[in-house]
Amino acid sequence: MAATPLSRTCPIRIISVHLLGAAGELLRVLFLDREGHITAMPHYVPRDEALILAANQQRVLGAQGWVQVL
């Protein structure tokens, strides 16, 4: 039986928000909670919700940030 990649089977994720400066340098790394609020502490979010929250937050931040689902 072939092994399934962990990234596809893990049901929970952490959403990191990387805030960038004018020159594109990393200023701060924060996280999103289940309600979509930016916090200093990581929160575990179900995978499907995490993908939606991350996409929405990326639209809000635009070039000022980079959102990643871990």
Side-chain angles (χ1 to χ4, degrees):
M1 176 178 222
T4 304
L6 181 61
S7 62
R8 293 187 183 190
T9 60
C10 184
I12 56 174
R13 301 283 191 217
I14 296 173
I15 307 168
S16 67
V17 178
H18 303 248
L19 300 179
L20 306 174
E25 73 277 6
L26 180 65
L27 298 177
R28 190 155 187 202
V29 176
L30 298 168
F31 303 94
L32 284 181
D33 65 11
R34 283 188 80 165
E35 289 80 35
H37 299 116
I38 295 176
T39 67
M41 298 295 297
H43 293 271
Y44 292 103
V45 180
R47 183 180 183 274
D48 294 338
E49 289 179 38
L51 294 173
I52 293 168
L53 287 169
N56 291 341
Q57 189 63 42
Q58 185 63 63
R59 284 187 199 107
V60 170
L61 290 175
Q64 296 175 337
W66 175 49
V67 182
Q68 183 178 12
V69 178
L70 306 173

